């Protein structure tokens, strides 16, 4: 068949299919002029169009026609093969099982990330406790002054109103989740970015804690951070662990190609990232609306300990298969 | 060979050609999206600033959401097209040309931070230059491509340019292979955009003996090939 005959025979069909595709792309469903809905036979039409494209290529029809059919097939392909899973049922399964399971499955990386945070914190803390003046080589004067005014001052934290709480909530969401995302992405460079953020944040907290203990303001700090520290520090460490996995996949891909290993690490690390987002939103709530309340130290420490314990129980136990079969009856 | 086309096979067994988008259109799309975000921030700041701390808190959350999730939202809900990409006819697709899912979109947009390193997308740009499919680091990890959706050549849009159907047709004086056909029809379709002198110069490759009449003769051969009678 000559190209012009082919075009004349099928042009109406192609234009009709293009109309159907436009409707699908806009999410509207209208009837065609002849009263039929294009959607009913979309799958059949699309297969027929694929046939036409194959024919046009095989018979060596003009490039413009092949391009036109190719563009139509691409549009149809994108409509037919899209997959939109319902999100809410997935979210429930995610919180109940997927997130804690993934964290446990990938524990060596999260342990490595956590150790780099804790060791950096401990070293700087000990250094500052041992030689108080060294704080000036770790933190700048302005930072030190603002930290002292926040915790060592009687009115520092208690004088906030609800507007400030909301401001700080926004700030914690913006800053902390961005830091978590950056430590994940920074891990891509052979893990260096993730390690850097872990060590930097661990060291910073160690310096602040060591210094405030030295000037007898330790309690103000610890009663402030203990509750939200549980989800916040955990989430940052988990994000760093996911980042380290990315870097390790690039450095030592094992049996896979580097690219395949990177993809596998990114995809299997995503549940951790979703979990990190949830944990940090929770942490921002606690940090903005609970932590600044001035209450007896005993209450603050108990609530904080409960936060840590609940989180540890959740990550350690949630989503394990029921233990019924494990212990046979006597 | 540098080739901006990528060929895949659909489940129907048809070869489908994708036109990969290079750094320049992608950067333009990015700038359009950045302008939209800045506009939203400006309007947001004007609306929210009278509310003091609460307003600024909400504004920070808005900035956070837009900076990280603006591309993700559009790529997942609008089949791979942020407004900037849409205005340039680009789309993010998975490597089999299907729309991106949430995981893939989130991976490629979180790893944007790595592409930004150390500044101005230098890492991402270098990665795109090295990679044969113009993928930045985020695309590599997510398994995604950015493609031109509609035209392989922007001049063509959907329908080919009007080619004069009139005129006589005459069979070419040599047996046509498939490659010859493609070449001939490509020449014929590009004809209206070439100067007469250039057309003639090209046509003389096929009919060196005809001199200035070569273009007319080659057009006739093309019309014959296309099927005009």
């Amino acid at each position: 068949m000559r190209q012009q005959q082919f075009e004349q025979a099928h042009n109406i069909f192609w234009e009709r299919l293009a109309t159907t595709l436009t409707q699908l792309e806009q999410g509207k469903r209208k009837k065609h002029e002849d009263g039929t809905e294009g959607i009913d036979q979309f799958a059949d039409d699309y297969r027929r169009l694929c046939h036409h494209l194959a024919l046009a290529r095989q018979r060596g029809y003009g490039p413009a026609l092949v391009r036109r059919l190719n563009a139509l097939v691409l549009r149809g392909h994108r409509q037919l093969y899209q997959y939109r899973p319902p999100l809410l049922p997935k979210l429930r399964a995610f919180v109940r099982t997927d997130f804690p399971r993934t964290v446990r499955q990938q524990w060596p990386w999260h342990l490595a990330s956590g150790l780099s945070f804790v060791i950096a914190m401990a070293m700087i803390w000990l250094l500052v406790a041992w030689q108080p003046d060294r704080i000036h080589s770790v933190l700048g004067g302005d930072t030190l002054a603002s930290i002292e005014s926040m915790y060592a001052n009687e009115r520092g934290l208690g004088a906030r109103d609800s507007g400030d709480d909301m401001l700080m909530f926004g700030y914690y969401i913006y800053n902390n989740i961005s830091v978590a995302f950056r430590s994940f992405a920074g891990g891509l460079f052979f893990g260096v970015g993730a390690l850097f953020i872990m060590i930097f944040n661990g060291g910073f907290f160690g310096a602040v804690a060591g210094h405030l203990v030295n000037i007898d303001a330790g309690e103000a700090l610890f009663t402030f951070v203990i509750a939200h520290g549980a989800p916040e520090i955990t989430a940052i460490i988990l994000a760093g662990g996911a980042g380290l996995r990315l870097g390790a996949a690039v450095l030592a891909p094992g049996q896979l190609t580097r690219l395949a290993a990177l993809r596998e690490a990114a995809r299997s690390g995503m549940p951790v990232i979703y979990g990190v987002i949830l944990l940090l939103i929770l942490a921002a709530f606690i940090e903005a609306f609970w932590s600044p309340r001035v209450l007896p130290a005993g209450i603050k420490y108990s609530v904080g300990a409960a936060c840590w314990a609940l989180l540890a129980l959740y990550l350690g136990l949630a989503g394990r298969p029921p233990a019924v079969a494990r212990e046979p009856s006597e | 060979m540098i080739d901006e086309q990528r060929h895949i096979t659909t489940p129907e067994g048809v070869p489908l050609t994708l036109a990969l988008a290079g750094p320049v259109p992608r950067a333009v799309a990015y700038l359009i999206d950045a302008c939209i975000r800045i506009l939203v921030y400006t309007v947001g700041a004007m609306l929210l600033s009278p509310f003091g701390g609460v307003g600024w808190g909400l504004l920070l959350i808005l900035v956070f959401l837009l900076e990280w999730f603006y591309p993700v939202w559009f790529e997942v809900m609008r089949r791979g097209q942020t407004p900037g990409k849409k205005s340039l006819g680009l789309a993010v697709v998975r490597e089999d040309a299907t729309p991106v899912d949430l995981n893939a979109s989130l991976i490629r947009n979180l790893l944007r931070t790595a592409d930004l390193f150390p500044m101005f997308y230098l890492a991402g740009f270098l990665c795109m230059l090295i990679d044969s499919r113009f993928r930045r680091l985020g695309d590599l990890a997510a398994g995604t491509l950015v493609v031109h959706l509609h035209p392989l050549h922007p001049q063509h849009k959907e329908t080919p340019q009007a080619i004069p159907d009139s005129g006589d047709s005459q069979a070419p004086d040599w047996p046509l292979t498939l490659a010859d056909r493609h070449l001939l029809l490509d020449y014929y379709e590009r004809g209206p955009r070439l100067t007469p002198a250039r057309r003639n110069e090209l046509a003389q490759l096929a009919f060196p003996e005809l001199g200035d009449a070569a273009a007319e003769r080659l057009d006739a051969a093309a019309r014959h090939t296309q099927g005009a009678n």
Side-chain angles (χ1 to χ4, degrees), chain A residues 70 77-78 81 263 274, chain B residues 12 15 17 79 96 103 140:
Chain A
N70 190 80
H77 184 73
R78 283 160 53 73
Y81 293 105
R263 276 188 196 166
Y274 294 124
Chain B
E12 290 77 20
T17 305
R79 284 185 302 278
D96 57 2
N103 265 349
L140 287 176

Side-chain angles (χ1 to χ4, degrees), chain A:
Chain A
M1 193 187 259
R2 294 288 175 103
Q3 178 174 347
Q4 284 193 340
Q5 290 170 300
F6 184 72
E7 285 188 54
Q8 275 160 11
H10 301 298
N11 200 25
I12 294 174
F13 166 71
W14 296 331
E15 270 168 14
R16 193 188 138 92
L17 190 52
T19 321
T20 308
L21 279 170
T22 311
Q23 285 176 8
L24 284 171
E25 280 158 9
Q26 290 168 348
K28 289 182 219 151
R29 280 207 205 169
K30 267 189 259 161
K31 297 212 166 185
H32 277 290
E33 283 161 9
D34 53 6
T36 56
E37 257 192 296
I39 189 85
D40 302 334
Q41 70 248 23
F42 173 67
D44 287 340
D45 284 355
Y46 171 68
R47 263 198 298 276
R48 198 169 149 208
L49 174 72
C50 287
H51 180 60
H52 289 168
L53 174 61
L55 277 181
R57 282 189 204 277
Q58 176 63 31
R59 292 175 180 166
Y61 289 156
L65 177 65
V66 172
R67 268 197 297 271
R68 177 183 174 197
L69 294 180
N70 190 80
L72 265 183
V73 169
L74 178 59
R75 285 170 73 189
H77 184 73
R78 283 160 53 73
Q79 283 299 326
L80 195 60
Y81 293 105
Q82 61 180 323
Y83 170 58
R84 292 213 190 148
L87 215 57
L88 277 182
K90 271 186 127 182
L91 188 67
R92 190 156 155 245
F94 171 77
V95 172
R96 285 172 64 154
T97 56
D98 291 2
F99 174 44
R101 272 184 194 169
T102 316
V103 170
R104 288 197 296 272
Q105 210 173 30
Q106 302 165 357
W107 66 270
W109 305 107
H110 300 305
L111 181 67
S113 164
L115 280 180
S116 60
F117 183 94
V118 171
I119 290 174
M121 176 179 82
M123 282 172 64
I124 304 280
W125 193 333
L126 287 176
L127 176 78
V128 173
W130 182 40
Q131 292 180 323
D133 286 345
R134 282 296 179 94
I135 187 70
H136 298 291
S137 60
V138 185
L139 295 180
D142 293 346
T143 322
L144 218 50
S146 77
I147 287 168
E148 280 178 15
S149 77
M150 211 174 142
Y151 295 103
N153 209 320
E154 286 293 301
R155 294 180 26 83
L157 284 167
R160 279 167 48 168
D161 64 15
S162 60
D164 291 339
D165 284 350
M166 194 61 210
L167 170 63
M168 291 319 286
F169 176 67
Y171 177 74
Y172 297 137
I173 291 271
Y174 168 77
N175 185 61
N176 296 348
I177 304 187
S178 297
V179 168
F181 286 169
R182 266 181 227 123
S183 42
F184 173 64
L188 188 66
F189 298 114
F190 316 113
V192 174
L195 272 183
F196 175 80
I197 294 181
M198 290 309 113
I199 291 172
F200 179 83
N201 281 292
F204 183 82
F205 183 77
V208 171
H211 178 69
L212 287 177
V213 169
N214 280 344
I215 61 168
D216 279 336
E219 193 176 276
L221 173 70
F222 297 131
T223 54
F224 179 69
V225 298
I226 185 156
H228 69 252
E232 189 172 300
I233 294 175
T234 310
I236 296 287
I237 287 174
L238 291 180
L244 287 180
R245 284 185 74 238
L246 283 189
V250 178
L251 269 183
Q255 300 278 338
L256 303 171
T257 64
R258 262 169 237 286
L259 190 59
L262 173 64
R263 276 188 196 166
E264 165 58 24
R267 199 153 268 272
S268 61
M270 282 328 272
V272 176
I273 298 300
Y274 294 124
V276 163
I277 298 174
L278 293 182
L279 281 181
L280 284 174
I281 293 173
L282 177 69
F285 263 112
I286 302 175
E287 187 168 5
F289 300 110
W290 163 259
S291 297
R293 300 287 88 83
V294 179
L295 292 166
I299 296 180
K300 298 282 280 207
Y301 285 133
S302 317
V303 170
C307 285
W308 281 97
L310 280 176
L311 187 62
L313 282 176
Y314 169 64
L315 288 180
L317 298 179
R320 285 191 192 273
V324 189
R326 213 169 43 197
E327 283 182 56
S329 55
E330 292 173 33

Side-chain angles (χ1 to χ4, degrees), chain B residues 3-146:
Chain B
D3 188 1
E4 84 293 357
Q5 294 194 348
R6 173 165 167 74
H7 306 279
I8 61 165
T9 305
T10 71
E12 290 77 20
V14 184
L16 181 61
T17 305
L18 302 177
L20 302 168
V24 174
R26 292 178 63 170
V28 174
Y30 175 81
L31 286 180
I32 294 175
D33 285 330
C35 289
I36 294 176
R37 285 204 294 270
I38 290 171
L39 197 71
V40 174
Y41 298 149
T42 318
V43 173
M46 285 192 299
L47 290 179
L48 290 171
S49 58
F51 298 99
V54 177
W56 290 114
L58 289 175
L59 188 66
L60 280 169
I61 295 174
L62 180 75
V63 172
F64 163 74
L65 288 178
L66 284 188
E67 280 306 311
W68 290 99
F69 295 109
Y70 169 95
V72 177
W73 171 265
F74 283 109
E75 282 170 17
V76 175
M77 303 308 286
R78 293 285 155 89
R79 284 185 302 278
Q81 294 189 298
T82 61
K85 286 204 172 69
K86 182 157 194 167
S87 64
L88 280 139
L90 305 179
V92 183
V93 296
R94 285 193 286 198
E95 294 201 323
D96 57 2
T98 54
V100 282
D101 59 342
L102 179 62
N103 265 349
S105 176
L106 199 60
I107 290 172
R108 74 186 292 281
N109 285 301
L110 290 189
L111 292 185
R112 199 176 278 283
T113 316
D115 283 301
L116 271 164
F117 185 82
M119 56 181 63
F120 304 128
Y121 280 92
L122 190 64
F125 180 65
L126 288 178
C127 183
M128 284 170 81
L129 288 188
I130 294 166
D131 184 68
S132 59
R133 301 176 208 161
F134 301 129
R135 290 173 294 184
R136 59 176 177 84
L137 293 169
D139 288 322
L140 287 176
T144 50
L145 304 169
V146 179

